[in-house]
Amino acid sequence: MTFGIGFATVKTQAADLFTQMNLEKKPLDKVDWRRNVLFATFGFAYMGCFQYYLYVTLFSRWFAGASRFANQSIAKKLRDRTGQVDLMKQVGFDVLIHPIWFFPVYYTMKESLNGKPNVFEAPFPTVAGNAIKKYWNNNFVAGSVMADWLAFWKIWIVGDMVVYGLMPMWARLPANHFFSFLYVVVLSFTRGGEEPPKLEDAEGALKALPGLPDGVVAKVTEAAIDKELRK
């Protein structure tokens, strides 16, 4: 258990560091270490402690035949209807039920540590309310319908089918860590950072529009940035 939690912590932190340095092309001295600490904390508390309890303790109770199914040959698995039903239940739970609280927990932890205000600057209900509002706006308003869920499904529908359907029990954990690393890279890239818009960038984009007076540019820019910062 201790090794698994420690590995989940390091893996999640490493996935964010990989994202910042390789996908976002940040040199080491420009890495957002507050963001990296967020992922280390999330890796320890949620992906390590909570998910160990979920997948090891609870799944073994809910899906008692999973071990028998996992250790069968592929040929036997193709004939095992009961095991296949169990497999679909595990995948269904992980991709349809698990995200219901996974994303609110992540957003709340992110807002608590790195939000403006964070939990050290404002009461927790205020911080949590801001987090849930951002989650809602990113997933349940026009133009961004279930964006986080779709990204989750793109990794974990296939990942869970491989982990629960193809891997023997001894290989489940390494396979899960592989897909988890991939998913944390996606999560870090899409929802890890939150840099407010820069005034000069917004003004430059607006000034590129022909015939727009400077006074309008200034007012629209300030209003847009104010709205963004209040999210």
Side-chain angles (χ1 to χ4, degrees):
M1 178 179 176
T2 302
F3 175 80
I5 292 173
F7 191 87
T9 303
V10 173
K11 171 204 67 188
T12 309
Q13 184 176 27
D16 172 68
L17 190 61
F18 173 86
T19 301
Q20 292 197 54
M21 296 187 69
N22 290 275
L23 301 184
E24 299 173 7
K25 306 299 182 183
K26 293 179 181 178
L28 188 61
D29 61 341
K30 298 295 183 182
V31 166
D32 184 348
W33 292 109
R34 285 175 61 91
R35 166 178 160 183
N36 194 247
V37 168
L38 161 68
F39 277 91
T41 305
F42 188 67
F44 169 78
Y46 191 90
M47 293 190 159
C49 297
F50 175 76
Q51 288 195 167
Y52 179 91
Y53 177 72
L54 175 65
Y55 292 129
V56 176
T57 304
L58 295 183
F59 265 42
S60 63
R61 295 178 190 169
W62 297 339
F63 311 109
S67 177
R68 178 191 58 79
F69 182 79
N71 289 322
Q72 292 180 144
S73 66
I74 298 296
K76 288 184 178 179
K77 288 178 180 178
L78 292 174
R79 297 191 299 268
D80 186 347
R81 300 304 180 200
T82 302
Q84 292 169 17
V85 170
D86 240 14
L87 166 63
M88 298 311 297
K89 288 179 181 178
Q90 292 175 79
V91 175
F93 179 92
D94 203 39
V95 301
L96 297 176
I97 306 300
H98 185 196
I100 292 174
W101 64 80
F102 175 89
F103 291 117
V105 169
Y106 171 74
Y107 273 81
T108 300
M109 188 172 290
K110 177 184 174 184
E111 200 70 12
S112 295
L113 297 178
N114 294 346
K116 296 179 181 179
N118 56 48
V119 77
F120 305 105
E121 302 166 341
F124 178 74
T126 300
V127 175
N130 291 340
I132 298 305
K133 180 181 178 181
K134 289 181 179 181
Y135 167 62
W136 186 267
N137 289 341
N138 285 339
N139 290 276
F140 304 109
V141 298
S144 59
V145 179
M146 300 189 78
D148 290 332
W149 287 64
L150 291 173
F152 188 92
W153 290 339
K154 287 176 182 178
I155 299 293
W156 283 114
I157 290 177
V158 173
D160 284 343
M161 291 297 291
V162 171
V163 171
Y164 299 129
L166 298 179
M167 296 293 108
M169 285 302 293
W170 66 266
R172 274 193 173 189
L173 190 58
N176 184 270
H177 281 309
F178 171 76
F179 285 105
S180 180
F181 183 91
L182 293 181
Y183 176 68
V184 174
V185 168
V186 173
L187 182 65
S188 174
F189 189 71
T190 57
R191 302 297 184 211
E194 191 168 2
E195 184 178 353
K198 296 179 181 178
L199 182 63
E200 58 270 23
D201 292 344
E203 286 180 346
L206 287 171
K207 285 180 179 178
L209 299 175
L212 197 61
D214 288 344
V216 175
V217 169
K219 289 181 179 180
V220 172
T221 301
E222 290 173 6
I225 291 178
D226 182 66
K227 179 180 179 182
E228 189 68 26
L229 291 175
R230 289 176 183 274
K231 287 183 177 180

